[in-house]
Amino acid sequence: MDDSAGAAAHGAGEEEGKFEPRVLGQFNGVVKSFNDEQGSGFIMSDQLASAGVSGDAFLHAKHRGGVNIGDAVTFLAIINSRGQPQAISVVPVSTS
């Protein structure tokens, strides 16, 4: 029996160990929490929830962009290697 169909179904042709995040799009939200010691926090976004994504977007220190808890932000949301929403390219929303 030819096993090529089974190999294709299991991701044949993809590089081992290489993860490609799934881009969800640009969203607005508010920085809900951030722990400086852990270097991470979360962004709450009604837009993300309306798009069918459950939970807040994870925010890593390297993508924080100088924002603080309570700041309104715009961010690019991805699904990370753990299958969770994550915020990258985070910028504060201009109030001017």
Side-chain angles (χ1 to χ4, degrees):
M1 180 173 174
D2 180 12
D3 194 34
S4 61
H10 292 292
E14 294 178 13
E15 292 182 42
E16 281 291 319
K18 183 171 174 134
F19 173 77
E20 290 292 328
R22 182 168 56 102
V23 177
L24 299 175
Q26 197 79 21
F27 296 90
N28 293 323
V30 175
V31 179
K32 179 179 176 178
S33 64
F34 198 86
N35 184 313
D36 287 314
E37 290 180 19
Q38 293 179 352
S40 63
F42 291 92
I43 295 175
M44 180 177 58
S45 172
D46 291 339
Q47 289 179 337
L48 197 58
S50 293
V53 178
S54 62
D56 297 325
F58 175 75
L59 174 60
H60 189 276
K62 70 180 177 181
H63 298 292
R64 185 175 179 186
V67 299
N68 296 301
I69 295 171
D71 288 351
V73 296
T74 297
F75 62 97
L76 183 64
I78 63 168
I79 297 296
N80 65 22
S81 62
R82 294 182 177 181
Q84 302 168 324
Q86 181 171 342
I88 61 174
S89 302
V90 177
V91 294
V93 172
S94 175
T95 56
S96 56

